[in-house]
Amino acid sequence: MAVIRDIDKALFPIKTINTVVKLFTSQLEGCSEPDLALLSIVTGLIENQLTSRSNAVQLPDSPETNVLPRFELETVENLYNKFHLVITSSVETNKTKAYATRDLVKRVSDVIWNSLTRSYYKDRPHLQSLYSYLTGSKLDCFGVAFAVVAGCQVLGYSDVHLALSEDHAWVVFGPNGSENAEITWHGKGNEDKRGQEIGKGVSARSWLYVNNKPVICTRHMEVAALVSAINPALNANVDASEVAMLQQELLWLLYDLGHLKKYPMAIGNLGDLEEISPKRSDIPCSSLFEEAIESARKYYNNQHVYPYTYQGGYYYRNNMYKEAFESWANASDVIRLYNYSRDDEEIYKEFLEIANELIPQIMKAESSGFEANTILKKPQCFANLLKFYDGICQWEEGSATPVLHIGWAKPLVNTISKFDSDVRAQVNIVCDEEKLMKKNGSYFNNNNNNYEKENTTVIPKLNVKEQSTSNFHPTIEALTAACSEKIL
Ligand SMILES: CC1(C)CN=C(N2CCN(c3ncnc4sc(CCF)cc34)CC2)S1
């Protein structure tokens, strides 16, 4: 029989957000390993109760007094014991080995996989927690990965950990996490590769596997992943504010304990929540977005895109268009060195929205009134715009699947031609050859981490004063030339 510690039982029935924070603190600080199953059941229970139709929208006042519906210990204990039973009854528990094996990890994945509802809408919200698994036999792709790691924790394999890219999850296991395995599906209509090693072939060059720089979680970072995966959405437009407040309080707890240092997306999630409802005046959301970028540069050799799109989105929402262009150019600087593959739809949609929705809206806003400080007069903005497009062109280069199509060209030409020729004439990008050595062995195989060395940044040197040829992708070269002849 599984046992929930007495110190945690004393916190039930849970009635306020602060009590949940105390439970997490007790798990994160008070014991050797936080109990993933317990914490996922508790957050899943609260999220599902507060985002289901039956719940009227109530405005919370504060974590201390914020009243939640009562969550009884018995409810949690029953689900907790059910998970332990599902796992221990299906996988032999005469644990002999110190480390997990590929066979063991695959068998735990099979237990979860074969107990899911036959067919259901996989992208529905609120399918990420063990509560969803245990009460509805439904999990999304992240939820399956998390359940497998929680299952391996139940079996006593402390070497099995969650590995996270920006759009996929798998596990590492064995001595120093030297082994890895797929344990869930990815995307639509793709055969799952469960049990296999992580992409060795072409997929290793796709953004989906972040050039072998995934976030490798500790148990505490797996708690950060389950908290990040909390979804406060009541519907497409409204969030349940108590759930959002709970997520924000738990992310601050994890941040203050240092467990977000190597987790850029969790820092970005906290930044988004802080922008909506600031809780810590000493740490503005803008500095959280910067921290996420610094973390990705320091620990993941700047191979992650989302830290820059978190920041770009923030600047865009706050009408800081010059800064948004710089963030998006930096995002493009990351994607340029990957090969586009069919597994990369999520980041494709991200760049498509920036290029064909956000930037055109900015150009419209900037060329409507008599903006005194318009970005249309700023060479730096034009330069970052070209860098943005050039990175996408380079992303396409050498890829089996094309990225750009005519739908990209119209907004692109429209945007470039909004800048006067005298402004465009001031721009010159001197690209660093090493940076452009795309796709040959050295960049993808070298381990010299350009971002670990202090202040060593390998980025195109931007010199907006002198004239000189640039090494743009031919498409950008042609478009820029066409602009100069005012053909467009
Ligand atoms: C700038 C954005 C469009 C805003 N939200 C973004 N995300 C929301 C939160 N996301 C995440 N947040 C924390 N951890 C993870 S692990 C993962 C891969 C599947 F397991 C995704 C993800 C994904 C990215 S990127």
Side-chain angles (χ1 to χ4, degrees), residues 73-365:
L73 172 62
E74 190 190 358
T75 314
V76 171
E77 217 161 22
N78 290 341
L79 292 171
Y80 184 79
N81 292 331
K82 179 177 178 182
F83 184 67
H84 272 250
L85 193 62
V86 162
I87 296 294
T88 51
S89 59
S90 320
V91 183
E92 106 293 330
T93 46
N94 56 338
K95 181 168 170 325
T96 48
K97 295 197 175 66
Y99 293 116
T101 60
R102 184 170 303 277
D103 177 58
L104 180 275
V105 163
K106 178 64 167 55
R107 267 186 291 131
V108 176
S109 177
D110 286 344
V111 169
I112 302 294
W113 190 266
N114 296 325
S115 56
L116 296 177
T117 306
R118 270 291 138 260
S119 77
Y120 57 96
Y121 178 47
K122 306 288 189 299
D123 289 343
R124 239 178 56 192
H126 316 304
L127 299 185
Q128 78 288 45
S129 74
L130 289 189
Y131 177 85
S132 170
Y133 172 63
L134 294 162
T135 60
S137 304
K138 294 181 190 63
L139 284 170
D140 58 24
C141 54
F142 167 82
V144 168
F146 182 85
V148 172
V149 175
C152 291
Q153 183 183 36
V154 164
L155 295 172
Y157 290 102
S158 58
D159 60 310
V160 180
H161 285 291
L162 201 53
L164 301 170
S165 76
E166 297 191 298
D167 189 41
H168 192 28
W170 59 93
V171 288
V172 294
F173 58 96
N176 301 318
S178 51
E179 301 292 324
N180 64 43
E182 298 273 8
I183 46 165
T184 185
W185 78 88
H186 177 264
K188 285 189 174 52
N190 307 326
E191 267 304 295
D192 73 272
K193 303 183 227 171
R194 287 180 316 114
Q196 297 175 27
E197 262 200 289
I198 296 313
K200 282 267 180 247
V202 278
S203 64
R205 292 192 181 292
S206 66
W207 162 77
L208 187 69
Y209 291 99
V210 284
N211 189 23
N212 202 21
K213 294 284 181 185
V215 175
I216 305 295
C217 291
T218 61
R219 279 283 176 263
H220 296 78
M221 288 167 75
E222 279 142 14
V223 174
L226 84 87
V227 171
S228 283
I230 290 172
N231 184 347
L234 260 174
N235 57 50
N237 311 314
V238 181
D239 280 359
S241 29
E242 318 87 324
V243 181
M245 188 189 281
L246 171 64
Q247 183 178 37
Q248 195 169 352
E249 292 294 323
L250 293 177
L251 283 172
W252 274 124
L253 171 66
L254 289 153
Y255 177 94
D256 293 334
L257 294 175
H259 301 312
L260 303 193
K261 273 198 186 340
K262 298 183 178 179
Y263 198 165
M265 288 186 287
I267 302 171
N269 289 335
L270 182 54
D272 279 351
L273 291 162
E274 278 293 299
E275 181 189 355
I276 295 166
S277 145
K279 290 280 183 314
R280 298 273 291 261
S281 52
D282 56 322
I283 304 180
C285 62
S286 54
S287 60
L288 290 169
F289 296 123
E290 280 155 19
E291 272 188 52
I293 288 168
E294 280 319 304
S295 170
R297 286 180 170 174
K298 183 172 181 183
Y299 299 109
Y300 306 106
N301 194 29
N302 200 38
Q303 300 282 289
H304 294 185
V305 176
Y306 281 151
Y308 296 109
T309 51
Y310 270 112
Q311 186 186 57
Y314 165 74
Y315 284 139
Y316 170 74
R317 292 187 293 271
N318 291 275
N319 305 331
M320 298 165 76
Y321 300 140
K322 178 172 180 289
E323 293 79 0
F325 279 10
E326 185 174 346
S327 303
W328 291 333
N330 287 333
S332 184
D333 239 5
V334 172
I335 204 71
R336 74 170 60 241
L337 293 168
Y338 283 107
N339 278 342
Y340 179 60
S341 103
R342 49 193 294 279
D343 288 324
D344 294 344
E345 278 95 359
E346 280 311 305
I347 203 66
Y348 172 85
K349 289 188 291 190
E350 193 67 25
F351 279 107
L352 192 71
E353 186 194 18
I354 294 167
N356 296 356
E357 308 291 332
L358 305 187
I359 290 175
Q361 280 159 24
I362 291 173
M363 303 319 280
K364 189 159 168 279

